[in-house]
Amino acid sequence: MPGARIDAVNDQHAFVRTGSDRPAQVLGDRVLLGLSHPCTMFDKWRPIPVVGDLDEPDPVIVGFIETRF
């Protein structure tokens, strides 16, 4: 979404502003975010998706890694 940005963070939440007159669509719009610290992911989710290529317009999950944290 051109012009979208994270306006604020709170614990494990991000507040995104779209920067346009069109709000984000629940079905159809994709937001890709990363984590600032890997322990957040390891502690919360056992299966972590592996993406083939993040530079693709529609990244595909090619597998999962199971964590033991």
Side-chain angles (χ1 to χ4, degrees):
M1 296 179 65
R5 69 181 190 279
I6 295 177
D7 231 14
V9 291
N10 179 347
D11 191 26
Q12 296 167 356
H13 302 78
F15 299 86
V16 178
R17 292 210 185 266
T18 61
S20 69
D21 294 335
R22 186 183 72 81
Q25 302 298 307
V26 174
L27 297 174
D29 284 339
R30 181 177 300 193
V31 177
L32 300 174
L33 301 171
L35 293 173
S36 62
H37 198 280
C39 288
T40 303
M41 182 176 280
F42 295 152
D43 187 35
K44 305 296 180 211
W45 299 284
R46 296 224 26 202
I48 299 174
V50 177
V51 178
D53 186 356
L54 277 176
D55 293 328
E56 291 289 324
D58 192 14
V60 176
I61 295 173
V62 296
F64 289 90
I65 298 171
E66 186 177 343
T67 64
R68 300 183 195 284
F69 186 69

